[in-house]
Amino acid sequence: MIELIIGLLATTMATSTVLILASLGETIVERGGILNLGIEGIMLIGAFSGFIGAYFTKNLWIGLLMAIIGGILIAIIFGFLIIKLNLNQVISGLAINLLTYGLCLYFFRYIFSQGALPYLSELITPIPIPFLSQIPIIGPIFFNQTIFVYIAFISTPIVYYLLFKTSFGLRLRAIGEDPSIAYRLGIKVDKLRFIALILEGIFVGMAGGMLCISMFNVFDVRITGAKGFVAISIVILGRWNPIGAFGGALIFGFTEALSLWIGTLIVGPLSASMSQLLSILPYSVAIIALLIGGRRAKGPASLGSIFLKE
């Protein structure tokens, strides 16, 4: 029984990591007043470019680099739409999702139009930390994970420090509250928002890449499974704080791991239908958590608004 619980919690770390990385990126941009609903598209591009990079170079680390680059490029395109062209953030985010879905679908079919469904022959596997991974119970859970999990755990306090303990974070939060006043005080609003978007592209692109080169070895346009939108709800629940987002991601990651775990225990003719039913568990928890915890949530005052220089 102890082994099953350890396995469940270790899986929770892996399933939470995608959401931790994505929610960290979204927290950064929302603190700067940007509501990026295109996060799902950034994650999808990260998955696609990561898969393509790893598949053709046979190098998973190049795939990871490609995932990050892909995420940054889409984040910059989104930034160009809302910062330079002053387009509506919500509409631009939805357009990014549609654009990336179409691009990934088209190029995947164009590149692999013939032959069997492509797949990666290997994945990025856990890297046990010497000595620490041998500690009973907590060793297998925390110190026998992939590089993505370690990055997510280390990045959370770093992002918190960046947002709340540095001048960059202070200026970013200032433009998130009132960009007009911040601009009059000499803060370069556009530059800071582009930097925030690049940081988001790194985190979210990495989250998408993780799906293809560490969790699954194939690509499908449905691979993100609306995790980007779940990450947005986690940001709200976390009160736009990286530590809060981290905790929220762990809760959703646990529900996903629990649904997978229960699914493996069900056998017989009802196993397929029960697995489908259990797959909605994390999304149900997301809705309930938003209804309970999101009612009094108050984000940055200028979140989602267009900033026009006077």
Side-chain angles (χ1 to χ4, degrees):
M1 187 63 183
I2 293 296
E3 287 76 12
L4 290 175
I5 295 175
I6 292 174
L8 173 63
L9 295 178
T11 304
T12 297
M13 296 299 107
T15 53
S16 300
T17 295
V18 174
L19 297 173
I20 292 172
L21 292 171
S23 59
L24 286 179
E26 185 68 14
T27 298
I28 293 172
V29 296
E30 291 200 12
R31 273 293 178 179
I34 297 174
L35 178 61
N36 187 2
L37 296 184
I39 184 175
E40 183 80 4
I42 296 176
M43 190 181 293
L44 183 61
I45 283 292
F48 176 74
S49 54
F51 178 82
I52 294 296
Y55 182 83
F56 285 105
T57 65
K58 309 299 181 187
N59 188 315
L60 296 172
W61 300 107
I62 292 179
L64 173 58
L65 178 62
M66 292 286 291
I68 293 173
I69 292 174
I72 292 173
L73 287 176
I74 298 301
I76 290 176
I77 291 173
F78 175 72
F80 180 78
L81 295 176
I82 65 164
I83 296 174
K84 293 301 181 183
L85 301 183
N86 293 318
L87 299 181
N88 182 282
Q89 293 186 12
V90 173
I91 295 174
S92 298
L94 296 176
I96 286 291
N97 289 333
L98 294 173
L99 173 67
T100 52
Y101 182 88
L103 287 175
C104 291
L105 186 62
Y106 172 78
F107 282 108
F108 188 78
R109 288 179 176 176
Y110 179 80
I111 297 171
F112 303 105
S113 58
Q114 296 179 346
L117 187 67
Y119 65 92
L120 301 178
S121 57
E122 58 182 349
L123 294 171
I124 290 179
T125 54
I127 304 173
I129 297 179
F131 305 112
L132 295 178
S133 62
Q134 302 302 319
I135 299 175
I137 300 178
I138 64 173
I141 297 173
F142 295 104
F143 303 113
N144 187 22
Q145 297 288 351
T146 66
I147 187 68
F148 294 97
V149 177
Y150 299 139
I151 290 175
F153 274 65
I154 293 172
S155 297
T156 300
I158 292 176
V159 172
Y160 177 85
Y161 184 84
L162 179 71
L163 289 177
F164 297 105
K165 302 295 181 180
T166 67
S167 60
F168 170 82
L170 179 62
R171 286 178 291 156
L172 186 67
R173 288 185 285 125
I175 65 175
E177 295 299 328
D178 194 326
S180 297
I181 293 179
Y183 181 71
R184 293 192 198 103
L185 293 174
I187 296 175
K188 297 178 180 178
V189 177
D190 291 357
K191 180 181 177 181
L192 277 181
R193 284 185 165 177
F194 267 115
I195 293 175
L197 282 166
I198 290 172
L199 292 175
E200 183 187 35
I202 294 172
F203 280 116
V204 179
M206 193 185 307
M210 179 184 177
L211 293 171
C212 277
I213 62 180
S214 185
M215 298 182 72
F216 311 104
N217 63 341
V218 295
F219 174 79
D220 187 281
V221 289
R222 298 166 296 179
I223 195 168
T224 55
K227 285 184 170 57
F229 296 115
V230 174
I232 293 175
S233 67
I234 287 173
V235 172
I236 297 172
L237 289 174
R239 301 293 197 271
W240 293 267
N241 185 309
I243 306 299
F246 178 86
L250 285 180
I251 294 174
F252 291 117
F254 176 75
T255 59
E256 186 173 0
L258 183 64
S259 65
L260 295 172
W261 185 62
I262 295 175
T264 61
L265 300 178
I266 301 174
V267 296
L270 295 178
S271 61
S273 57
M274 286 301 295
S275 296
Q276 293 291 333
L277 184 63
L278 287 169
S279 66
I280 68 173
L281 179 61
Y283 304 101
S284 302
V285 172
I287 294 173
I288 294 172
L290 272 177
L291 291 175
I292 297 175
R295 288 183 300 176
R296 297 181 180 178
K298 183 180 180 182
S302 71
L303 182 62
S305 61
I306 297 174
F307 166 62
L308 298 174
K309 295 179 182 177
E310 298 175 354

